[in-house]
Amino acid sequence: GLGLHVSLPLRTDLHARFGVNGLNYSREDSTRNVDYDWRLRLRTVDALLDYFPMNNAWRLTAGVVYNGNRIDARGRPNVAGSYTLNGTTYTAATVGQLDGDVDFRRLAPYLGIGWGNAVAPGAGWGFSADLGVLIQGTPRTSLRSTGCTIAVALCNQLATDLAAENRALADEARDYRAFPVVRVGVC
């Protein structure tokens, strides 16, 4: 993705860094029973402290991030034109559109290490790098069907089966509790 950071010296060995970052990424994936088209939207605003323990370019970083990261998912019927939800098969025409999303807590801690000191005395152009982790917490998932065209009793069964599929989606999303961050930049 792309980002922009601004560093402000607080002391010779401590800097405040503020930044914005963004990325869009799409792919196909599946849970146990449903194929999805995923759209990952990464949107963060960083408020970080960089500590330079050896007064050189190596730094330790900690801070808080406004986390606008989310995943939007759209279900794709299988080749037979159906979905299997919680062991029950439904035609795509009766289910309607199957949509889901994965959302994360809005304020998340960040920890990392890095290289580069943009505001060091006499610093010219250089490179910077960060390796860290954004601790997003357990994701929240939701899965819904829009346009159910079957009888009310079957729509209620569909809702029960969607809840079970949402639990499977939540199990898949647990892998994103901690999000790795790798940045390379010019400073």
Side-chain angles (χ1 to χ4, degrees):
L2 294 174
L4 177 67
H5 283 224
V6 174
S7 291
L8 304 168
L10 302 174
R11 298 186 327 217
T12 58
D13 64 345
L14 186 66
H15 300 173
R17 184 163 37 125
F18 304 96
V20 295
N21 309 282
L23 170 73
N24 287 335
Y25 178 75
S26 299
R27 70 178 252 190
E28 297 175 357
D29 204 353
S30 61
T31 61
R32 291 178 286 241
N33 298 314
V34 178
D35 295 328
Y36 292 98
D37 291 324
W38 300 90
R39 184 172 165 232
L40 173 65
R41 294 184 309 167
L42 300 178
R43 304 284 187 273
T44 58
V45 177
D46 307 339
L48 308 173
L49 286 175
D50 292 327
Y51 173 61
F52 298 86
M54 294 178 276
N55 284 324
N56 60 18
W58 287 104
R59 65 177 179 251
L60 302 173
T61 303
V64 65
V65 174
Y66 170 78
N67 184 11
N69 294 345
R70 67 178 289 121
I71 301 170
D72 295 319
R74 178 159 282 197
R76 285 184 290 118
N78 63 23
V79 293
S82 63
Y83 296 103
T84 300
L85 302 167
N86 198 29
T88 305
T89 300
Y90 300 91
T91 66
T94 57
V95 168
Q97 183 57 52
L98 189 59
D99 291 312
D101 56 66
V102 181
D103 203 5
F104 304 92
R105 74 175 162 207
R106 291 291 173 227
L107 289 178
Y110 173 85
L111 297 171
I113 59 172
W115 171 264
N117 188 341
V119 293
W125 288 95
F127 292 96
S128 68
D130 284 285
L131 179 61
V133 63
L134 178 63
I135 304 165
Q136 302 184 111
T138 301
R140 295 174 303 277
T141 63
S142 70
L143 188 61
R144 62 207 161 277
S145 167
T146 307
C148 180
T149 61
I150 51 182
V152 171
L154 289 176
C155 278
N156 290 338
Q157 177 63 43
L158 174 62
T160 300
D161 293 337
L162 279 172
E165 179 62 23
N166 187 51
R167 288 189 294 276
L169 182 61
D171 286 343
E172 297 285 328
R174 280 191 228 294
D175 293 340
Y176 298 102
R177 287 182 288 210
F179 192 79
V181 175
V182 176
R183 286 189 195 112
V184 176
V186 177
C187 59

